[in-house]
Amino acid sequence: MDVTEDTVRGVCTDAVFERGERYLAEGRIREMHRVDTTVTAVVSGSRQYDVRVDLAADEFAPRCDCPYDGPGTCKHVVAVLLRCVDDRPPDEGARLDAALDGADIDELRAFLREELVTDADLRDRFLAQAGESTRRSVDELRTSIDRRFEERNPEYHVVFEHIDFTQWFNLANEYREQGRYASAATVYRALVESLDDNMERVDGAYDHFSSAFSRALDGYVDCVAATERDADAVTNAVKFLDERATSGTPFLAEHFERAAVELRGKAGEQSCE
């Protein structure tokens, strides 16, 4: 998309546009970088918020870790986009490519391996792109997701702001694109369990958490159903959904019940093929 005031207005409400203009005028953008068409920035609000936009994507594919859950995108994203209208940061893509081209392959391999050793989430993404199935259990993946809830508001049990679950959805999608549905289902189930168990902590941004839960639950059902007629996987998944319907967060019970019915239906369709 062309980055103009009109296209920015098209991704937010009038009120948010005005707030974004004010944030830009007040110098709230603390840091801003661009690699190719991806712009990352830090915008100061009630705290520092991380923003990412893709200037070439439909509606700029905005991401921000602020708690905004209204229509369109938030004022932090708007401020960054408006800055890009007349003052885009320099593209660091060529510099990055030059550094990669000039790097010693053994040193680069050693650097990458060291990062992968210490960062389990990055390691999962790397192995997924390399065509490997996940060896992390649901509980292990849940630990990483649960940590986001704990880090969001460490002094209190309540979570007021939304949490970015993109890395896990991207990981599940990577497995799906490779046809590794069991691995994708493992990631989705970890998201479902964590969101269900932590939903009582949420006090704000309800639409955000509900949307993430529904997306994870739908992905779980789809991937279990696609596991090549694995009857045990389907049976275990239905049992899990039935148990959650009675023991999980009460207002999510109907979602688990619906998912169990849907999975039974999909399994029945496959058995008739």
Side-chain angles (χ1 to χ4, degrees):
M1 294 182 68
D2 291 332
V3 191
T4 66
E5 286 195 10
D6 286 341
T7 56
V8 176
R9 284 184 183 276
V11 299
C12 65
T13 65
D14 291 341
V16 169
F17 184 86
E18 292 177 3
R19 294 188 189 106
E21 282 186 312
R22 185 163 64 248
Y23 263 46
L24 177 60
E26 292 172 352
R28 300 252 189 177
I29 299 176
R30 304 303 191 203
E31 186 178 335
M32 197 166 173
H33 302 279
R34 176 165 66 100
V35 174
D36 302 329
T37 62
T38 298
V39 174
T40 56
V42 176
V43 181
S44 178
S46 56
R47 67 173 181 81
Q48 305 293 316
Y49 294 108
D50 293 319
V51 173
R52 189 176 83 184
V53 295
D54 185 343
L55 303 182
D58 184 36
E59 298 187 342
F60 307 114
R63 284 177 52 189
C64 179
D65 61 354
C66 77
Y68 179 76
D69 62 351
T73 194
C74 68
K75 59 191 174 185
H76 310 104
V77 167
V78 170
V80 171
L81 288 172
L82 288 174
R83 172 79 172 271
C84 290
V85 171
D86 299 313
D87 186 21
R88 296 188 189 186
D91 185 0
E92 299 176 48
R95 180 186 175 198
L96 181 61
D97 289 338
L100 288 170
D101 290 341
D104 178 84
I105 188 65
D106 291 331
E107 291 180 357
L108 186 61
R109 184 187 182 90
F111 170 79
L112 177 60
R113 193 177 192 284
E114 182 177 349
E115 293 299 310
L116 294 174
V117 165
T118 58
D119 189 330
D121 293 327
L122 180 62
R123 186 165 64 248
D124 262 352
R125 289 164 52 200
F126 174 78
L127 291 173
Q129 290 193 351
E132 295 286 335
S133 299
T134 185
R135 293 187 178 180
R136 296 178 75 186
S137 67
V138 171
D139 287 343
E140 289 172 333
L141 288 164
R142 266 205 58 177
T143 298
S144 298
I145 303 168
D146 288 343
R147 190 178 299 123
R148 291 294 176 87
F149 284 93
E150 296 162 3
E151 293 172 346
R152 178 58 68 195
N153 196 3
E155 297 181 4
Y156 303 97
H157 184 70
V158 178
V159 174
F160 298 103
E161 299 178 348
H162 87 235
I163 295 171
D164 188 356
F165 301 105
T166 303
Q167 72 178 76
W168 292 286
F169 282 115
N170 286 347
L171 179 61
N173 189 59
E174 182 70 33
Y175 286 129
R176 291 183 76 166
E177 289 181 352
Q178 296 180 13
R180 299 178 182 276
Y181 297 109
S183 291
T186 298
V187 179
Y188 283 129
R189 175 162 168 172
L191 281 163
V192 168
E193 288 190 13
S194 182
L195 283 159
D196 184 28
D197 288 343
N198 285 289
M199 198 66 76
E200 65 176 17
R201 305 174 65 170
V202 173
D203 188 14
Y206 295 108
D207 288 346
H208 165 74
F209 287 101
S210 295
S211 176
F213 172 80
S214 296
R215 181 181 174 190
L217 186 61
D218 289 344
Y220 177 67
V221 170
D222 289 343
C223 289
V224 170
T227 53
E228 296 297 328
R229 309 183 195 282
D230 188 338
D232 288 339
V234 173
T235 299
N236 291 334
V238 170
K239 181 180 179 181
F240 160 70
L241 295 170
D242 286 338
E243 289 176 348
R244 284 280 167 167
T246 58
S247 64
T249 305
F251 75 86
L252 296 178
E254 63 182 77
H255 297 280
F256 283 114
E257 292 169 355
R258 172 192 56 79
V261 170
E262 182 179 350
L263 185 53
R264 288 190 183 97
K266 289 187 176 184
E269 291 173 3
Q270 288 184 349
S271 65
C272 294
E273 292 178 359

